[in-house]
Amino acid sequence: MNRSRRRNHKLEPPPAWRARAMLGLFGVFAVMLGARAFELQVLDQEFLNEEGAKRHLRTMEVPAVRGAIRDRRGAPLALSAPTESVWAVPAALLEDPGRLSALAGELDYSTAELRDRLENYRERQFLYLQRQLSPAHAQRVMAVGAPGVFLQREYRRYYPGGESTAQLVGLTDIDGRGQEGIELALDDELDGAPGSRRVIKDRVGRVVEDLAEFTPPDPGGDVRLTVDLRLQALAYRELKAAVLEHQASAGVAVMADPETGEILAMVSFPSFNPNSRESIPTGTLRHRAVTDTFEPGSTFKPLLISRALDAGAFTRDSVIDTEGGRFRVGRLTVRDFRDYGDVDLRRLLTKSSNVGAAKVGLKLGPERLWQVYNDYGFGTISGVRFPGERYGVLRNFARWDDVTTATAAYGYGVSVTALQLIRAYAALADDGRLRDLRLTLAGEDDWQAAPRQVISADAAAKVRDLLGDVVSAEGTAGRAAVPGYRVVGKTGTVRKVEGAGYDAASHQSLFVGMAPADDPALVTLIMVDEPGSGDYYGGLVAAPAFSNIMREALRILRVPPDNPATLTADAAAEPESKS
C-alpha cells in the first residue's frame, strides 16, 4: 500500500526564481569578466606593456674600440682585436647538468669547479665564465649547446713591439683601462665611449627582440709617438746584450733628437712580454729611464765647463794644477785615476780629472754651480708627461759647503734621471737651448715650454770641441767611436750609495754622446746598473753599447758621415783613463 503510493508520487519542478537567480549570477560574472578584459586590453594596455618591458627590456652596452698607439712612422705599438667573453645565467645552466662536463672542458674548469661556481652565484642573472676568448674558441664553447650560456663582444689589447716597447707603451687592465706607461698617461685620448642597444630578453637572458634603439660607440683616438720602432728595437737589443754580457742587474738607453726634443728610443732592461700577462716578473713594469735616479758622476763635467766658459771664469787655455792626482778639500781627498799634471780644459775632459773639476767648481762657488745645474733642468721634470717621473735631488746651494761643492762638480751629491741627463746633453748639442722632451707627435703641445737659452751657443760649441778627444785612444771612451762620424760625449763611472755610504763594489756605468759632432743629429745615453763581470768603467761597459746603437741608428736615419776617412779605420785603441 505504502510502496504503491510512493511509485505513484511525482517530483515537483524547482521554483522558477532559482533558475532566474542562477542565470543572473552567470550574467554578472560575464559582465565582470568582459569589463576586466576591456580594462586590461584597452584601458591599461600601454601601462601593462611598459610593466612587461621593465621586466624584460634591457639596455646592452656596445663596446668601443680603444685607439691604437703607433710610432712616428705609423707602425703599430698597441692595437685592439675583437674577442668574445662567455657569460651565463647560473640557474638556467644548472637546469641541464648533463652539459656541465663538456662546457667545463672547453673553459678549462673541472666539472666540480664549474658546478660550485654556478651554485655560489645561482641568484645572479649574469656571471662571466671566461673572458676574452678567440672567436674560434668561443664558437667551440657555444657548440656545446648549454642553456643560459651567451657571448659578449669585447676587445683585447695586443702589443706588436713586444719586450722592446713594453714599459714605454704600458698596459691596460682586462676592461681596457690604462694601467701603465702611455696607456695610462693618454688614457683619455685612447679610450672610446661605448654605445648602447635596447633589447628584450627572456627569463634566461636570451635576446628575443632587438628594438630600433641604437647608439653607436665612439671609438678612441689613435696616438702617434715620437719613437721610431726600428730604433727602439735596436736600442733594446744592444742594451740587453750589454747587460747580459757584463752580468749587470739592469740598464737604460735613451735616444733623442736635440733640435726638437723628440724621444726616438727609450728602453729599459729587464723588460717583459706584454702579450703574456701571466708571466710578468716582479719589478719589470717600471720604466727606469723615468722612475730611477742615480748620481751622474763625470757626465756632469761638460755641463760644469760650459758655465765656466760662459761666465768667463776660465778659457779654453786655462791651466789647472791637479796636485799630483790628490787634492784635499776639508775632510775629503779628491782623487784622479793617475797624476795628470797640469791640465787645460780639453785634457781635463779627455782624462776625466776629478781634481780639475773640483777646482773649477770651487772657483765658480756653490751658488753659480747650483745655478748651472738648475738651468740645465735638474730638479725638474723633463716634459714627457710619463707616469711616475721623478724630479731627482738638487739641494739648495745654501746648504753646500766646500766638500759639497767639490763633489757636485764631478757629479756626486746630486741625483738625476736618464731623461734629465739626456735633456741637458741635448741642450749642449743644440747650441745651448734647453727644450722639454716630447713623446707624442699629434698636434701642437701647448703644455710644452718654449726653449730656454741656458748657455751661449759659443760656449756649447766650445764644449763639443773640447770633448773631441774623449772618444779616442787618448780618452776614456775610445770604444764609443762610430766609423765615419765624429762622436763627442762623456763617460761616467759612479759608485752606488748603499746605506750610509758608498759601496766600493757596486757601480753604475754611463756614457752620453752625440754625433755628428759639429751639427749633432742624435744624442744617446747608456746606463748599465751594477755590472758584475769585472769591468765596470763607463768606457768599457756603456761606450761599446753606445757605438753599436749609434752606428745603426745613423745609417737607418741616413745621416751623412762627417768623417769618412774613418770608415775603413781600425777600432779605437783601449782607453787610458777609466773614469
Side-chain angles (χ1 to χ4, degrees), residues 502-514:
Y502 291 94
D503 184 352
S506 183
H507 298 82
Q508 288 170 315
S509 307
L510 295 110
F511 184 81
V512 194
M514 61 194 76

Side-chain angles (χ1 to χ4, degrees), residues 235-315:
Y236 182 76
R237 182 190 73 207
E238 295 300 333
L239 176 69
K240 179 178 180 179
V243 171
L244 295 178
E245 177 185 353
H246 295 283
Q247 302 172 26
S249 64
V252 168
V254 185
M255 181 185 297
D257 180 341
E259 292 187 359
T260 62
E262 294 174 358
I263 299 293
L264 302 178
M266 187 169 82
V267 299
S268 172
F269 182 83
S271 186
F272 61 93
N273 180 1
N275 298 307
S276 180
R277 302 191 183 195
E278 298 79 12
S279 58
I280 297 178
T282 303
T284 60
L285 283 172
R286 77 181 191 272
H287 204 307
R288 295 172 183 270
V290 180
T291 63
D292 288 16
T293 61
F294 53 89
E295 291 182 303
S298 294
T299 60
F300 256 28
K301 291 171 183 173
L303 311 180
L304 164 76
I305 297 302
S306 72
R307 179 54 54 87
L309 290 170
D310 222 17
F314 289 81
T315 68

Side-chain angles (χ1 to χ4, degrees), residues 60-88:
M60 296 181 64
E61 184 176 282
V62 180
V65 181
R66 187 172 176 86
I69 301 175
R70 301 181 182 276
D71 82 341
R72 65 188 300 114
R73 301 167 59 247
L77 305 178
L79 296 170
S80 292
T83 62
E84 300 286 354
S85 290
V86 181
W87 66 277

Side-chain angles (χ1 to χ4, degrees), residues 381-399:
I381 55 178
S382 67
V384 295
R385 297 194 301 172
F386 197 89
E389 183 175 5
R390 299 279 296 277
Y391 282 79
V393 177
L394 180 63
R395 295 183 178 86
N396 190 276
F397 62 85
R399 301 169 58 187

Side-chain angles (χ1 to χ4, degrees), residues 163-212:
E163 290 186 11
S164 69
T165 61
Q167 294 144 331
L168 172 64
V169 175
L171 293 169
T172 63
D173 63 15
I174 196 168
D175 293 312
R177 293 183 291 264
Q179 299 295 296
E180 301 284 344
I182 294 297
E183 293 276 31
L184 174 59
L186 302 180
D187 188 52
D188 290 342
E189 291 94 322
L190 292 163
D191 195 25
S196 63
R197 55 189 277 240
R198 299 276 280 175
V199 300
I200 296 177
K201 293 186 176 183
D202 65 12
R203 71 178 186 86
V204 296
R206 290 175 300 195
V207 175
V208 296
E209 185 177 353
D210 202 334
L211 303 179

Side-chain angles (χ1 to χ4, degrees), residues 243-499:
V243 171
L244 295 178
E245 177 185 353
H246 295 283
Q247 302 172 26
S249 64
V252 168
V254 185
M255 181 185 297
D257 180 341
E259 292 187 359
T260 62
E262 294 174 358
I263 299 293
L264 302 178
M266 187 169 82
V267 299
S268 172
F269 182 83
S271 186
F272 61 93
N273 180 1
N275 298 307
S276 180
R277 302 191 183 195
E278 298 79 12
S279 58
I280 297 178
T282 303
T284 60
L285 283 172
R286 77 181 191 272
H287 204 307
R288 295 172 183 270
V290 180
T291 63
D292 288 16
T293 61
F294 53 89
E295 291 182 303
S298 294
T299 60
F300 256 28
K301 291 171 183 173
L303 311 180
L304 164 76
I305 297 302
S306 72
R307 179 54 54 87
L309 290 170
D310 222 17
F314 289 81
T315 68
R316 295 164 60 109
D317 299 324
S318 296
V319 175
I320 301 167
D321 179 6
T322 62
E323 310 283 349
R326 299 289 185 273
F327 177 47
R328 188 77 179 175
V329 181
R331 64 186 183 280
L332 172 72
T333 299
V334 181
R335 294 179 171 84
D336 281 341
F337 184 72
R338 59 166 54 93
D339 179 7
Y340 299 122
D342 293 342
V343 299
D344 59 12
L345 297 186
R346 178 180 294 274
R347 186 168 174 80
L348 185 159
L349 293 173
T350 300
K351 298 300 184 182
S352 197
S353 170
N354 290 338
V355 174
K359 286 195 168 186
V360 172
L362 289 169
K363 184 169 182 179
L364 287 177
E367 183 172 358
R368 283 200 294 184
L369 183 57
W370 176 89
Q371 190 63 57
V372 65
Y373 296 158
N374 179 258
D375 287 347
Y376 271 110
F378 298 104
T380 65
I381 55 178
S382 67
V384 295
R385 297 194 301 172
F386 197 89
E389 183 175 5
R390 299 279 296 277
Y391 282 79
V393 177
L394 180 63
R395 295 183 178 86
N396 190 276
F397 62 85
R399 301 169 58 187
W400 290 17
D401 56 13
D402 283 350
V403 171
T404 307
T405 303
T407 55
Y410 53 89
Y412 280 85
V414 178
S415 71
V416 305
T417 66
L419 289 183
Q420 290 173 335
L421 189 55
I422 198 169
R423 183 188 183 199
Y425 269 72
L428 277 180
D430 192 33
D431 290 335
R433 290 183 288 267
L434 186 78
R435 302 175 184 273
D436 281 348
L437 298 180
R438 298 182 59 185
L439 266 174
T440 57
L441 281 177
E444 293 296 325
D445 295 318
D446 296 334
W447 48 269
Q448 285 195 305
R452 292 186 292 112
Q453 196 76 38
V454 295
I455 57 167
S456 68
D458 180 64
K462 286 179 179 176
V463 170
R464 295 199 302 270
D465 178 65
L466 292 172
L467 287 168
D469 290 339
V470 172
V471 184
S472 72
E474 297 298 318
T476 61
R479 296 187 179 186
V482 177
Y485 298 88
R486 289 184 59 243
V487 174
V488 297
K490 189 69 189 73
T491 54
T493 305
V494 186
R495 287 184 178 179
K496 294 187 68 173
V497 175
E498 299 289 345

